[in-house]
Amino acid sequence: MAANTVNVETFRKMFLAGAKRLEAKKEWINELNVFPVPDGDTGTNMTLTIMAAAKEVSALENPTMSQVCKAVSFGSLRGARGNSGVILSQLLRGLTKGIGDHEEIDMKRFVKAFRKAVESAYKAVMKPKEGTILTVAKAAYEKAEEMYGETDDLKVFFGEIIQHADKVLAKTPDMLPVLKQAGVVDSGGQGLVEVLKGAYDAFLGKEVDLTVETSGSRPAVSSSELTEDIPSGEITFGYCTEFIVMLEKGFDKSDEQKFKSYLESLGDSIVLVADEGLVKVHVHTNDPGLAIQKGLSYGSLTSMKIDNMREEHNERLKLQEEKKAKLAPAAERKPIGFVAVSIGEGMNEIFKGLGVDYIIEGGQTMNPSTEDMLNAIENVNADAVFILPNNKNIILAANQACDLVEDKEIIVIPTKTVPQGITAVISYIPEKSARENEARMLEDIKSVKTGQVTYAVRDTSIDGKEIKQDDIMGIGDAGILSVGTSIKDTTLEMIDQMADEDTELISIYYGSDVEEEDVNALTEAIEKKHMSCDVDVQYGGQPIYYYIVSVE
């Protein structure tokens, strides 16, 4: 018998099954990254993004379709990491908008949802490239539109869509030469196909593990807690209370202010964020029940968590002292503040010394989420906040966070490397306005060339170079500049490719795995080869990358 609609329970299972299949294929998808570097993380980023939404969905009890859609949108949007994760979150957000509050989804509604998903994802990317996850998503929508009217059986409909998406995925190397050189399909596109296949398995009624861990040990110190001055004496408000309200009626700015004022009468550390039919609430209070009761007046609750802070107090004090060094000192309200993404103890200290207000650790090995960005922005006491992503794979998440902030001016400087971020901060002139500084920073980072030295995790051929597993690679802004078996020689060759007659400064940031004697030998060799340049050497402490080099 043909199935022509999907109810809320089936849709919920389809989403969770898609998330679980992606999680299971995570490492394989990581290995599809074009560059054979040890931090290939497309699968990880997409998994963390969709699992953030899966946790929200799993926490719902007897939900409506609208509640499931809101949970998917809210969770993926704030959990989005990396470019692939942000694009996936936008696909999911558009999809859920297209479904809306319809309790039964028919083929026409699915076609609309697929269209909304593709539109949302393409809008999120400034310069969309074909041969990527966007291409695969568009192919799925186009097949859905083609199938509409040809059949009313969703089994056939979904099957054809996935088959077509798979075919287009196989063609992505023909659309992007870099994929063909590496002999792989687009990793983001593969991730999307895995989500679709997992959802289809659930639709067909196959036995699928839908277990999602919705609770766990509370992070020792959250991003926001790191900036609070935790007193050594008695805690005034003993219960950290968090929950999400699934709104069931209108909720405007006036309602938001009333709710916030009520919470302020109960305690402190208030965070209230309204977004797309959801309200996320955080309050420290002595009576969690009153906060929860007020939340229920606006809708149903999910993701409820109450922690006894007095029991955690001593441990948090100790951990805060250990972690507090990662943050620049708190300051009074000022016109302009800075958030920077960093990748090692030395880099953290450099940014801290330059006056950065909040440091997000992440970078190459773990891209921070949109939620991490929002927490950082919240904790910078300034009218305007500059965000320095310092990685091309973090810029979209920063932009997404920027769109969600209303009470501060957020300016994302699209720094793709840590050296660019350092240059941007150095370029800042306090006497200038935020927009004047933005223009200055954008101009100054253009002069920074960056190279990074790491090792290959597999054999491949790229940028006309044959690379073997464990080879040392020097990677520049536009591709691989040098390959060899010696870290020193490969680094020198990379610098030779980067430097020219106008070069005045070569900056070296050495990683956590580099010995001081090796740094000294490299520095001496650079000074001999580039006698007209100043050479600055600093400890970066970054993992995976032996050296990060900037040429200006």
Side-chain angles (χ1 to χ4, degrees):
M1 181 176 175
N4 52 25
T5 62
V6 168
N7 62 22
V8 61
E9 184 55 28
T10 301
F11 178 68
R12 179 177 178 275
K13 287 179 179 178
M14 290 173 70
F15 174 73
L16 293 176
K20 291 287 284 186
R21 181 173 175 116
L22 177 59
E23 183 181 43
K25 299 283 186 176
K26 173 180 68 178
E27 293 303 330
W28 173 56
I29 294 168
N30 281 341
E31 292 173 4
L32 294 176
N33 280 275
V34 170
F35 284 105
V37 293
D39 62 356
D41 53 5
T42 299
T44 299
N45 284 336
M46 293 183 75
T47 296
L48 289 171
T49 299
I50 202 168
M51 293 308 291
K55 288 177 182 178
E56 299 290 345
V57 172
S58 292
L60 299 173
E61 294 183 12
N62 302 316
T64 63
M65 185 70 78
S66 177
Q67 289 174 332
V68 171
C69 286
K70 288 173 183 175
V72 170
S73 178
F74 182 88
S76 62
L77 187 70
R78 292 177 175 273
R81 296 175 187 266
N83 292 345
S84 56
V86 171
I87 292 171
L88 177 60
S89 75
Q90 289 296 330
L91 286 169
L92 293 171
R93 194 180 195 192
L95 181 83
T96 54
K97 277 186 177 180
I99 292 171
D101 56 1
H102 293 260
E103 292 304 314
E104 296 278 340
I105 318 171
D106 59 14
M107 195 173 297
K108 182 179 180 181
R109 181 60 51 179
F110 270 118
V111 173
K112 179 182 178 182
F114 286 166
R115 184 181 75 246
K116 289 275 189 186
V118 172
E119 289 173 353
S120 180
Y122 268 85
K123 284 179 183 176
V125 181
M126 190 173 295
K127 294 180 181 178
K129 273 186 182 178
E130 296 307 323
T132 65
I133 182 175
L134 294 172
T135 304
V136 177
K138 184 169 66 174
Y141 158 61
E142 289 172 347
K143 191 63 177 180
E145 196 170 53
E146 177 188 320
M147 292 296 296
Y148 180 60
E150 290 188 11
T151 179
D152 60 358
D153 188 343
L154 285 177
K155 177 181 177 181
V156 176
F157 177 73
F158 291 141
E160 289 290 331
I161 288 171
I162 292 170
Q163 188 176 15
H164 183 64
D166 235 343
K167 286 180 180 177
V168 171
L169 174 65
K171 294 177 182 176
T172 53
D174 297 325
M175 303 178 204
L176 279 177
V178 70
L179 294 175
K180 178 164 278 190
Q181 277 190 349
V184 295
V185 297
D186 179 68
S187 53
Q190 185 70 64
L192 179 59
V193 168
E194 297 307 322
V195 173
L196 294 174
K197 287 180 176 179
Y200 190 44
D201 284 345
F203 175 78
L204 295 176
K206 292 183 179 179
E207 188 91 17
V208 180
D209 176 19
L210 302 178
T211 306
V212 174
E213 185 64 43
T214 58
S215 62
S217 60
R218 175 179 165 82
V221 184
S222 71
S223 298
S224 59
E225 287 164 350
L226 281 170
T227 57
E228 291 176 19
D229 184 15
I230 302 174
S232 57
E234 183 67 21
I235 295 175
T236 304
F237 300 104
Y239 296 95
C240 176
T241 306
E242 298 179 33
F243 55 87
I244 293 174
V245 184
M246 313 290 283
L247 294 173
E248 294 173 355
K249 59 183 180 181
F251 191 85
D252 57 21
K253 287 291 181 185
S254 174
D255 294 313
E256 183 176 344
Q257 189 53 51
K258 289 177 183 175
F259 195 178
K260 189 174 289 186
S261 296
Y262 179 78
L263 293 174
E264 287 170 349
S265 73
L266 299 180
D268 61 13
S269 299
I270 313 297
V271 178
L272 192 150
V273 181
D275 178 59
E276 298 259 337
L278 297 168
V279 180
K280 187 173 184 179
V281 176
H282 172 279
V283 59
H284 293 175
T285 178
N286 286 327
D287 198 334
L290 291 177
I292 289 170
Q293 187 175 351
K294 186 66 174 178
L296 284 168
S297 70
Y298 294 103
S300 57
L301 306 186
T302 184
S303 301
M304 289 181 286
K305 182 160 69 70
I306 300 172
D307 292 317
N308 187 326
M309 295 190 298
R310 292 185 176 96
E311 291 180 354
E312 300 174 354
H313 185 54
N314 290 335
E315 183 179 354
R316 287 181 60 203
L317 273 173
K318 178 182 175 183
L319 288 169
Q320 178 178 267
E321 288 306 312
E322 294 173 357
K323 298 231 176 184
K324 210 166 185 180
K326 296 176 183 176
L327 303 178
E332 294 181 2
R333 187 79 172 183
K334 54 185 180 179
I336 293 175
F338 282 90
V339 170
V341 179
S342 184
I343 52 171
E345 291 180 11
M347 296 295 194
N348 294 349
E349 289 302 316
I350 291 169
F351 278 120
K352 184 178 174 182
L354 290 171
V356 169
D357 299 272
Y358 197 105
I359 296 166
I360 304 175
E361 288 202 67
Q364 287 291 94
T365 54
M366 174 57 77
N367 297 153
S369 67
T370 300
E371 184 80 39
D372 293 331
M373 296 285 182
L374 291 170
N375 286 335
I377 292 167
E378 177 191 336
N379 283 290
V380 175
N381 194 14
D383 298 321
V385 179
F386 283 97
I387 300 181
L388 306 173
N390 300 333
N391 186 308
K392 65 181 180 180
N393 205 33
I394 300 174
I395 294 172
L396 280 183
N399 287 334
Q400 188 155 278
C402 177
D403 292 339
L404 296 172
V405 177
E406 296 180 353
D407 62 341
K408 296 176 184 176
E409 182 182 13
I410 309 301
I411 302 173
V412 178
I413 303 298
T415 50
K416 296 179 180 179
T417 64
V418 167
Q420 282 190 345
I422 291 171
T423 295
V425 182
I426 292 173
S427 299
Y428 170 63
I429 299 177
E431 293 76 22
K432 300 285 187 181
S433 69
R435 290 302 170 183
E436 287 173 326
N437 272 296
E438 177 187 19
R440 180 183 174 88
M441 291 177 199
L442 290 173
E443 186 61 33
D444 286 354
I445 64 175
K446 291 178 183 177
S447 65
V448 181
K449 301 176 188 175
T450 304
Q452 303 177 91
V453 180
T454 187
Y455 59 93
V457 295
R458 67 171 185 272
D459 295 354
T460 190
S461 176
I462 191 169
D463 292 339
K465 295 178 173 60
E466 292 296 323
I467 300 169
K468 301 297 182 184
Q469 183 175 339
D470 296 326
D471 275 353
I472 306 301
M473 302 179 296
I475 305 172
D477 294 321
I480 296 177
L481 299 178
S482 59
V483 178
T485 56
S486 161
I487 295 174
K488 176 184 172 183
D489 293 344
T490 304
T491 304
L492 288 171
E493 183 183 345
M494 179 187 75
I495 293 173
D496 288 344
Q497 297 278 342
M498 295 167 62
D500 57 31
E501 59 187 19
D502 296 323
T503 298
E504 297 176 350
L505 174 65
I506 299 173
S507 299
I508 311 292
Y509 304 93
Y510 62 96
S512 57
D513 296 327
V514 180
E515 299 294 334
E516 191 170 340
E517 61 187 59
D518 295 327
V519 178
N520 293 336
L522 175 66
T523 303
E524 185 178 343
I526 294 171
E527 289 174 337
K528 283 182 179 179
K529 295 191 74 173
H530 301 276
M531 298 179 65
S532 63
C533 299
D534 292 328
V535 180
D536 180 50
V537 181
Q538 298 195 54
Y539 174 64
Q542 69 274 5
I544 294 179
Y545 289 84
Y546 302 113
Y547 296 105
I548 294 178
V549 179
S550 71
V551 169
E552 301 176 59

